[in-house]
Amino acid sequence: MKEIALHILDIVQNSISAGATLVHIGIMENLKDDSLTVSINDNGQGMDKETASKVSDPFFTSRTTRKVGLGIPLLKHSAEQAGGKVTLISEPGRGTTITAVFRHSHIDRPPVGDTPGVVSLIAGANPHIDFTYRHSAGEDVYVFDSREIKEVLEDISIGEPRIISYMKEMIAENLNGFFLAGKE
Ligand SMILES: Nc1ncnc2c1ncn2[C@@H]1O[C@H](COP(=O)(O)OP(=O)(O)OP(=O)(O)O)[C@@H](O)[C@H]1O
Ligand SMILES: [Mg+2]
C-alpha cells in the first residue's frame, strides 16, 4: 500500500516534466461526507483530448526509457480500492488538474504519509517552480506557499538542506495542530 504523499510525489513529477511553473497541491479531508480528496493542479503544457483519455491506461506513456507509465494508473487503482475515483481535466497550453477522491474511513485508504517531507523536498529540488500545498481537515486549514518562503530568503536558495528541513518542520508543526478525527 502506497502512501498518498508518494502518489503526490509521482504526480507532481508529471507537472514538472510538463514544464509547469506553478503547481498547487491540495488535500481536503471531509469527515462529514467521509471523503479525502487530493488534487494536483499545474500550469504546464497540458494534454490534448486523446492523450488525456489514454493516461489511465498503464500502456500509454510519453516516456521513452520504459514502455509503461505508472503514475496515474497507480493513483487510480489506489483511489478505486478505497471506494473513490480519479478525474483528470487538461487543456493544451493551459495546464492539468488531477483529482483523486478516497473514502476517508475505507480500510484500504492509504495513510496520508509524509507530506511535509515530500512538499519541502519538491520545493527545494525545483527552485524555479513554485508550489503551494493546502491541507484542510474539517475547520482546520493550512496553506504552504513556496513564494512566501523565497521572499523571506532573498538570496539564500530554497534548495539548501537547512531550508528544506526548516520547511518540513514548519509544515509538520502546522499539520500537527489539526484536529483530525482519525489521526494516523
Ligand atoms: N500534468 C501533466 N501534464 C501534461 N501531461 C501529463 C501530465 N500528467 C501526465 N501526463 C501525460 O500522461 C502520461 C502518463 O503519465 P503517468 O504518470 O501515468 O506515466 P509516466 O509519467 O509516463 O511514467 P511514470 O509516472 O511511471 O514515470 C505522461 O507520459 C504524459 O504524457
Ligand atoms: Mg508520471
Side-chain angles (χ1 to χ4, degrees), residues 10-15 17 61 63 66 69-73:
D10 259 20
I11 300 299
V12 169
Q13 291 310 319
N14 292 343
S15 302
S17 307
T61 177
R63 288 184 74 95
R66 142 155 72 74
L70 290 176
I72 298 170

Side-chain angles (χ1 to χ4, degrees), residues 119-152:
V119 170
S120 55
L121 194 69
I122 49 188
N126 301 279
H128 302 297
I129 304 177
D130 285 310
F131 297 91
T132 71
Y133 167 45
R134 183 185 190 280
H135 193 138
S136 70
E139 307 277 291
D140 296 320
V141 185
Y142 171 65
V143 182
F144 166 88
D145 190 329
S146 69
R147 291 169 295 195
E148 289 168 6
I149 306 285
K150 286 173 187 170
E151 213 175 288
V152 185

Side-chain angles (χ1 to χ4, degrees), residues 10-11 13-18 40 42 44-47 51 54-58 60-63 66 68-74 88 90 95-98:
D10 259 20
I11 300 299
Q13 291 310 319
N14 292 343
S15 302
I16 296 168
S17 307
I40 290 112
D42 69 59
Q45 67 187 23
M47 287 171 258
T51 308
K54 282 185 189 154
V55 290
S56 51
D57 172 357
F60 172 79
T61 177
S62 55
R63 288 184 74 95
R66 142 155 72 74
V68 288
L70 290 176
I72 298 170
L74 282 177
L88 189 146
S90 191
T96 302
T97 303
I98 294 190

Side-chain angles (χ1 to χ4, degrees), residues 36-56:
L36 186 153
T37 306
V38 180
S39 65
I40 290 112
N41 163 266
D42 69 59
N43 65 350
Q45 67 187 23
M47 287 171 258
D48 56 31
K49 279 224 161 61
E50 206 198 334
T51 308
S53 67
K54 282 185 189 154
V55 290
S56 51

